[in-house]
Amino acid sequence: MTPAAPESVRPHGVFAPVVTPFDAQRAPDAGRLARHCRWLVEHGVGLAVFGTNSEGNSLSVAEKIALLDALAENGLPPPRMMPGTGCCAFTDSVALTQHAVRLGCAGVLMLPPFYYKGVSDEGLFRSYAEIIERVGNDRLRVYLYHIPPVSQIPISLGLIERLLEAFPGVIAGIKDSSGDWKNTRAMLERFQPRGFDVFAGSETFLLATLRAGGAGCITATGNVNPGPIADLAAHWDDADADAKQSALDRVRAAFQSFPMIPALKRAIAHHSGDAGWASVRPPLVELSDAQAAALLEALEAADHAMPGVSARV
Amino acid sequence: MTPAAPESVRPHGVFAPVVTPFDAQRAPDAGRLARHCRWLVEHGVGLAVFGTNSEGNSLSVAEKIALLDALAENGLPPPRMMPGTGCCAFTDSVALTQHAVRLGCAGVLMLPPFYYKGVSDEGLFRSYAEIIERVGNDRLRVYLYHIPPVSQIPISLGLIERLLEAFPGVIAGIKDSSGDWKNTRAMLERFQPRGFDVFAGSETFLLATLRAGGAGCITATGNVNPGPIADLAAHWDDADADAKQSALDRVRAAFQSFPMIPALKRAIAHHSGDAGWASVRPPLVELSDAQAAALLEALEAADHAMPGVSARV
């Protein structure tokens, strides 16, 4: 295996788990997705497509491969992409990861297999090893995805240590969506100095992560507030950084009373004037009109705007 | 929609979530699987392939479709099959369910989508409805799969009620793997009289389920103890039924100190003389030799045997 990519091309800063628009038949809408991705990139935010907030696990592997291809064909740059590729079956994870690497994606964000619960670190090590060895490509960069509230499968510090030793350069970093700053700090202290890039799972911890030497954040609200979050990531050492963090926190707080994915999509539907954006796949359910009104009111109170977003750009 | 199938062809009695053998490359081994399925059917046990204990969620949809076809081509009868078809993405569930229905399977055992946690009954109703409507085949029989310890997504009595009203005849029953007899009893009392077949998730509750009017059980240890479990299901009204239940309980207890799936496979490897049967896919891990020795000792103490099982039958 080759050493990690040079610092200049390693993903850093802010990524959004890009929400996935659906058409009237609830099929993924590649055109809408490409437009939204372009708007995000223009505002300094990278594309962590097929994450939790992308309803990535409500899409088949074939649907995800078709969307990746459509994004590339629409001119979105693969070096700005970090697709989620971790499935329950390693054969699925291998197929999707291979496709992402061949396309030139910056890295992949990889959930552990999440159906079987209470599995051992040995079993999780074998899961990641099986995929890395089968993909067998020196350009592969794996970002581990630690999100125990949803996956129920934590990625322990011991597992990271073992993976880093076995696959140096390939194991490139982690998204920590535990919501537990003590855990993020432990990863930052122990692994970031060894070139393992720690991304916070929310902009709530963006400033703290960057001050501790971390790489940035991968955050749901990157979908609706990309410019200000990317601005803090770019200027975190400035004197007004704490004030900027507080402004980000106010926007995020406006979402906290609502189910995140339907709320993000409803906000995009509102600001883009494209009602179809609100659609979700089951088991999720769209916001009610009453919820939507309360969300928009809360966002207005937080001075939230989405300049330039449009379904028809 | 047509009414439910006549009682005579409705699945009942004992099914096993058939363990899935792998070859040296950890690809599903259709030949070994067909031989094991034949042995199960000959001992009175139906084929709930692609269940939790089948490592069904460690197989891709394409792998599962290929295995179903191979079983049919090898002469295993689809009316004895109840494949697991519930995936996270409804597009996957639809593809697999359609294939099972076209093949003539007795029914499908359908997990709810299990990645997103804390979802509403409304969202779960929409999940099942979306699949049933897209499959759009009157011969479809859906058995719900309630296994909250693993899926973390319970199927409530209210959800069953709603599904039964919306899709009479299609919603055919449930496997209750909650391990909570109070829950199984509530389902038996409320829904079994309406033709909704309740299967216990373990033979531990087989006699109690049959005495309460239920359909039978779908049980992991059906893989290794099929004859005696099927015998109790066939003769549960006999005077010696409680003694037979106790004998089943002793065999099951021998497995309880070990991870179930690797233990089942190791027992089959031992009795069939085919060491390759022990292989599992990550995130599971095979039993150690010490665990295997303890398991075999416990099984011997419980008078367990697997007459006629062989990889080379």
Side-chain angles (χ1 to χ4, degrees):
Chain A
M1 299 280 181
T2 57
E7 202 60 31
S8 59
V9 304
R10 285 180 77 90
H12 65 280
V14 181
F15 281 71
V18 187
V19 285
T20 307
F22 297 114
D23 65 18
Q25 284 72 48
R26 294 192 199 277
D29 185 330
R32 272 193 181 111
L33 180 63
R35 284 189 289 271
H36 186 56
C37 284
R38 195 168 303 121
W39 182 76
L40 292 176
V41 169
E42 286 167 1
H43 286 79
V45 164
L47 309 172
V49 292
F50 317 146
T52 298
N53 286 284
S54 314
E55 297 170 83
N57 293 299
S58 298
L59 303 170
S60 71
V61 171
E63 288 173 327
K64 286 184 260 202
I65 285 178
L67 284 176
L68 270 188
D69 287 343
L71 292 181
E73 286 159 14
N74 274 272
L76 277 306
R80 292 293 278 152
M81 297 182 196
M82 191 193 287
T85 64
C87 306
C88 290
F90 72 67
T91 37
D92 282 334
S93 305
V94 168
L96 192 49
T97 302
Q98 267 175 339
H99 198 83
V101 173
R102 286 184 192 141
L103 209 61
C105 293
V108 297
L109 187 57
M110 202 180 285
L111 277 171
F114 52 82
Y115 181 68
Y116 297 98
K117 305 303 189 293
V119 298
S120 63
D121 272 8
E122 171 66 22
L124 294 176
F125 176 84
R126 291 188 191 186
S127 295
Y128 281 109
E130 192 88 45
I131 298 164
I132 291 168
E133 287 163 3
R134 283 172 189 252
V135 171
N137 191 316
D138 287 350
R139 286 181 294 137
L140 172 62
R141 296 292 174 272
V142 172
Y143 293 81
L144 307 171
Y145 191 3
H146 177 59
I147 182 167
V150 185
S151 68
Q152 305 278 325
I153 305 293
I155 294 174
S156 70
L157 301 181
L159 176 60
I160 297 171
E161 184 74 52
R162 225 184 126 184
L163 285 167
L164 268 175
E165 281 170 25
F167 304 103
V170 173
I171 298 294
I174 197 162
K175 175 184 182 187
D176 182 4
S177 293
S178 65
D180 173 5
W181 173 248
K182 284 201 300 287
N183 187 65
T184 311
R185 193 171 54 198
M187 290 176 175
L188 284 162
E189 289 172 358
R190 185 158 161 187
F191 300 117
Q192 183 70 53
R194 293 156 65 180
F196 176 87
D197 283 329
V198 176
F199 289 86
S202 152
E203 78 275 24
T204 309
F205 301 109
L206 177 57
L207 190 51
T209 297
L210 293 170
R211 282 175 173 162
C217 69
I218 304 174
T219 181
T221 44
N223 278 286
V224 293
N225 200 27
I229 304 176
D231 176 61
L232 175 57
H235 303 287
W236 63 271
D237 212 13
D238 288 1
D240 61 350
D242 286 288
K244 285 179 173 174
Q245 178 71 59
S246 297
L248 300 186
D249 294 346
R250 281 193 296 277
V251 172
R252 188 173 184 95
F255 282 92
Q256 299 291 29
S257 308
F258 308 95
M260 179 62 86
I261 300 169
L264 292 171
K265 288 182 141 180
R266 186 68 186 240
I268 295 170
H270 174 76
H271 284 287
S272 68
D274 175 4
W277 252 108
S279 174
V280 295
R281 277 192 168 181
L284 304 186
V285 175
E286 290 81 7
L287 292 198
S288 68
D289 286 342
Q291 284 178 309
L295 169 68
L296 296 173
E297 191 176 329
L299 285 172
E300 198 163 330
D303 291 326
H304 174 256
M306 294 179 67
V309 73
S310 164
R312 287 167 296 275
V313 162
Chain B
M1 298 279 181
T2 56
E7 202 61 30
S8 60
V9 304
R10 284 179 74 92
H12 65 280
V14 181
F15 282 70
V18 187
V19 285
T20 308
F22 298 113
D23 66 17
Q25 284 72 48
R26 295 192 199 278
D29 186 330
R32 273 193 182 110
L33 180 64
R35 284 190 288 272
H36 186 57
C37 284
R38 194 167 304 120
W39 182 75
L40 293 176
V41 169
E42 286 168 0
H43 286 77
V45 164
L47 309 173
V49 293
F50 318 146
T52 297
N53 286 283
S54 314
E55 298 170 83
N57 293 298
S58 298
L59 302 170
S60 70
V61 171
E63 288 173 327
K64 286 183 261 202
I65 286 178
L67 283 176
L68 270 189
D69 287 343
L71 291 181
E73 286 160 16
N74 274 273
L76 277 305
R80 290 294 276 151
M81 298 182 195
M82 190 193 288
T85 63
C87 305
C88 290
F90 71 67
T91 38
D92 281 334
S93 306
V94 168
L96 192 50
T97 303
Q98 267 175 339
H99 198 83
V101 173
R102 286 183 192 143
L103 208 62
C105 292
V108 296
L109 187 57
M110 203 181 285
L111 277 171
F114 52 81
Y115 181 68
Y116 297 98
K117 306 301 188 296
V119 297
S120 64
D121 272 8
E122 171 65 23
L124 294 175
F125 176 83
R126 290 188 192 187
S127 295
Y128 282 108
E130 191 89 44
I131 298 165
I132 292 168
E133 288 163 3
R134 283 173 189 252
V135 170
N137 191 315
D138 286 351
R139 287 181 294 136
L140 172 62
R141 296 292 175 273
V142 172
Y143 293 82
L144 308 171
Y145 191 2
H146 177 59
I147 182 168
V150 184
S151 68
Q152 306 278 325
I153 305 293
I155 294 173
S156 71
L157 301 181
L159 176 60
I160 297 170
E161 184 74 54
R162 223 183 127 184
L163 285 166
L164 268 175
E165 281 169 26
F167 305 103
V170 173
I171 298 294
I174 197 162
K175 175 183 181 187
D176 182 5
S177 292
S178 65
D180 173 6
W181 174 247
K182 282 202 301 287
N183 187 66
T184 311
R185 193 171 54 200
M187 290 177 175
L188 284 162
E189 289 172 359
R190 185 158 160 187
F191 301 116
Q192 183 71 53
R194 293 156 66 180
F196 176 87
D197 282 330
V198 176
F199 289 87
S202 152
E203 78 275 23
T204 308
F205 302 108
L206 177 57
L207 190 51
T209 298
L210 292 169
R211 282 176 174 161
C217 70
I218 303 174
T219 180
T221 44
N223 277 287
V224 292
N225 200 26
I229 304 176
D231 177 62
L232 174 57
H235 303 287
W236 64 271
D237 213 13
D238 287 2
D240 61 351
D242 287 287
K244 285 179 172 172
Q245 178 71 59
S246 297
L248 300 186
D249 294 347
R250 282 193 296 277
V251 173
R252 188 174 184 95
F255 281 93
Q256 299 292 29
S257 308
F258 308 96
M260 180 61 87
I261 300 168
L264 292 171
K265 288 183 141 181
R266 186 67 184 240
I268 296 170
H270 174 77
H271 284 287
S272 68
D274 175 4
W277 251 108
S279 174
V280 295
R281 277 192 169 181
L284 304 185
V285 175
E286 290 81 7
L287 292 197
S288 67
D289 286 342
Q291 284 178 308
L295 169 67
L296 296 173
E297 192 176 329
L299 285 172
E300 199 162 330
D303 291 326
H304 174 256
M306 294 179 68
V309 74
S310 165
R312 287 166 297 275
V313 163

